[in-house]
Amino acid sequence: MNIEQWDEHKLITSAMSDMIADMDNSSQMKKMVTHVCNSGGKKIRPIILMLSSEICGGDSKKSVDAALAIELIHSASLIHDDLLDGGVIRRGLPSAHEKFGHAAAMLCGDFLISKSIELISPFGTNAVRDFGRAGMYMAEGETIDVKSVTGTFEESNYYECIRKKTASLFAASASIGAYIGGADDEVANKCRLYGEHVGTAYQIVDDLLEYLNAQDDKKSTHESVTLPQIYLKQMSHEDAVNKSIKEVKKQVMYASDILRTFDACDATGKLSQITNHITTDMLP
Ligand code: FPP
Ligand code: MG
């Protein structure tokens, strides 16, 4: 999947550069935002937003600011997550707090959240509501994550945690895109569910790679409880890994089933590539 060559990727990258160019050159905030925004990242969530708008009849050029809002709140959540779980390397570079200090990193997160609100605000009540709800879910999910290492943490707690901290933003990306494309609540809910399944699969894969020590572009001091670790209490390492992979495939299948209910087009093809790439293609 050559996502960097997609028009949607170019649109979001260019909007991000324009945003940075507009900032005061002498400000410390500009240095931090540049560091965070130029550290790469696949831009999966904003691209899901633009493609969801396309499958609902919209033009992705009209949803770029909403897509940028999604990428910025995602970046803010990673800065805050790194502060919380002692993340020192993010996307192969020092995390924001490693490079600029805790206070500055926290404020950079605050700046990005506020900028994202400014960007999403013209997109109407449904989009703004889903955006706000995603932020609340992410914070709630992260609270469950932080507590996960101190008490009992079963499979159901794990799923609640990742549905809120990760899948909620994928879900909102898809539903907001749908609304911008002109969808009614029924179709937007279908897109939301697609995003939720993709986001759930994505986080299980991310956790599985962490469990297998197969990630070299990020490093945290405190690690969260992963799905294979929960399964490991009742089965062998190999079975725990295989059972986790089976769960990923189940989520991917649910997401693909939803995609098939839309008329096939370039955008459904790209969403299907994303679904398979960030989940099954990334599996060991
Ligand atoms: C990564 O988890 C973290 C998240 C997906 C969500 C983080 C959310 C918050 C800190 C709440 C902030 C809320 C807003 C609205 C900004 P991970 O540690 O498992 O993943 P990693 O390996 O990439 O660090
Ligand atoms: Mg982390």
Side-chain angles (χ1 to χ4, degrees):
M1 185 180 72
N2 203 357
I3 202 165
E4 281 88 10
Q5 297 306 316
W6 293 4
D7 288 345
E8 293 79 10
H9 192 282
K10 290 178 186 162
L11 283 168
I12 182 79
T13 308
S14 149
M16 199 176 248
S17 304
D18 291 349
M19 177 196 80
I20 296 172
D22 274 351
M23 290 180 73
D24 173 6
N25 271 332
S26 62
S27 79
Q28 160 86 342
M29 191 59 79
K30 181 167 183 161
K31 283 198 194 77
M32 294 192 287
V33 172
T34 306
H35 174 77
V36 171
C37 290
N38 287 353
S39 63
K42 295 179 284 289
K43 319 263 188 308
I44 296 291
R45 296 160 187 81
I47 291 176
I48 287 180
L49 186 150
M50 288 191 260
L51 293 171
S52 300
S53 138
E54 285 177 49
I55 64 173
C56 295
D59 171 356
S60 55
K61 289 189 196 71
K62 294 193 179 142
S63 60
V64 183
D65 278 357
L68 183 55
I70 289 285
E71 185 63 11
L72 296 187
I73 199 167
H74 169 57
S75 299
S77 78
L78 295 182
I79 294 175
H80 288 176
D81 176 68
D82 284 336
L83 278 164
L84 290 165
D85 65 14
V88 285
I89 305 281
R90 171 70 64 188
R91 295 172 178 161
L93 295 171
S95 61
H97 71 86
E98 270 291 295
K99 194 170 165 75
F100 301 103
H102 284 220
M106 193 184 76
L107 292 166
C108 181
D110 293 342
F111 177 91
L112 292 172
I113 295 167
S114 305
K115 181 73 196 174
S116 72
I117 296 168
E118 181 191 60
L119 286 163
I120 198 73
S121 60
F123 286 93
T125 318
N126 290 327
V128 175
R129 179 204 58 209
D130 283 7
F131 192 77
R133 281 186 187 165
M136 292 187 289
Y137 278 133
M138 288 158 78
E140 264 188 83
E142 187 79 348
T143 310
I144 300 171
D145 188 330
V146 169
K147 274 180 60 194
S148 69
V149 283
T150 56
T152 44
F153 197 69
E154 310 287 349
E155 194 178 356
S156 60
N157 306 115
Y158 174 81
Y159 275 106
E160 188 193 359
C161 174
I162 68 165
R163 183 171 54 79
K164 289 183 170 166
K165 80 166 184 177
T166 306
S168 62
L169 193 59
F170 279 83
S173 302
S175 68
I176 291 171
Y179 281 124
I180 297 172
D184 60 14
D185 286 339
E186 196 186 330
V187 175
N189 283 336
K190 210 161 66 163
C191 290
R192 179 179 292 116
L193 202 56
Y194 159 81
E196 188 168 304
H197 288 305
V198 175
T200 303
Y202 174 82
Q203 189 62 51
I204 301 174
V205 171
D206 195 65
D207 288 345
L208 185 57
L209 295 175
E210 181 182 302
Y211 168 78
L212 294 170
N213 247 323
Q215 283 170 326
D216 47 18
D217 66 334
K218 55 184 171 183
K219 203 165 101 201
S220 296
T221 320
H222 315 291
E223 284 173 355
S224 321
V225 177
T226 62
L227 190 58
Q229 282 170 326
I230 295 169
Y231 292 150
L232 204 55
K233 290 183 209 149
Q234 297 144 10
M235 58 189 84
S236 69
H237 162 82
E238 202 187 337
D239 287 348
V241 169
N242 286 334
K243 190 166 161 59
S244 304
I245 293 175
K246 231 169 115 183
E247 290 299 314
V248 172
K249 293 195 168 150
K250 209 158 75 183
Q251 296 293 332
V252 168
M253 191 186 74
Y254 294 148
S256 306
D257 285 348
I258 295 173
L259 269 188
R260 270 192 290 277
T261 66
F262 288 87
D263 290 340
C265 61
D266 185 48
T268 51
K270 284 175 174 170
L271 283 170
S272 174
Q273 282 188 60
I274 286 181
T275 311
N276 293 317
H277 176 75
I278 62 170
T279 53
T280 36
D281 284 1
M282 278 170 59
L283 286 173

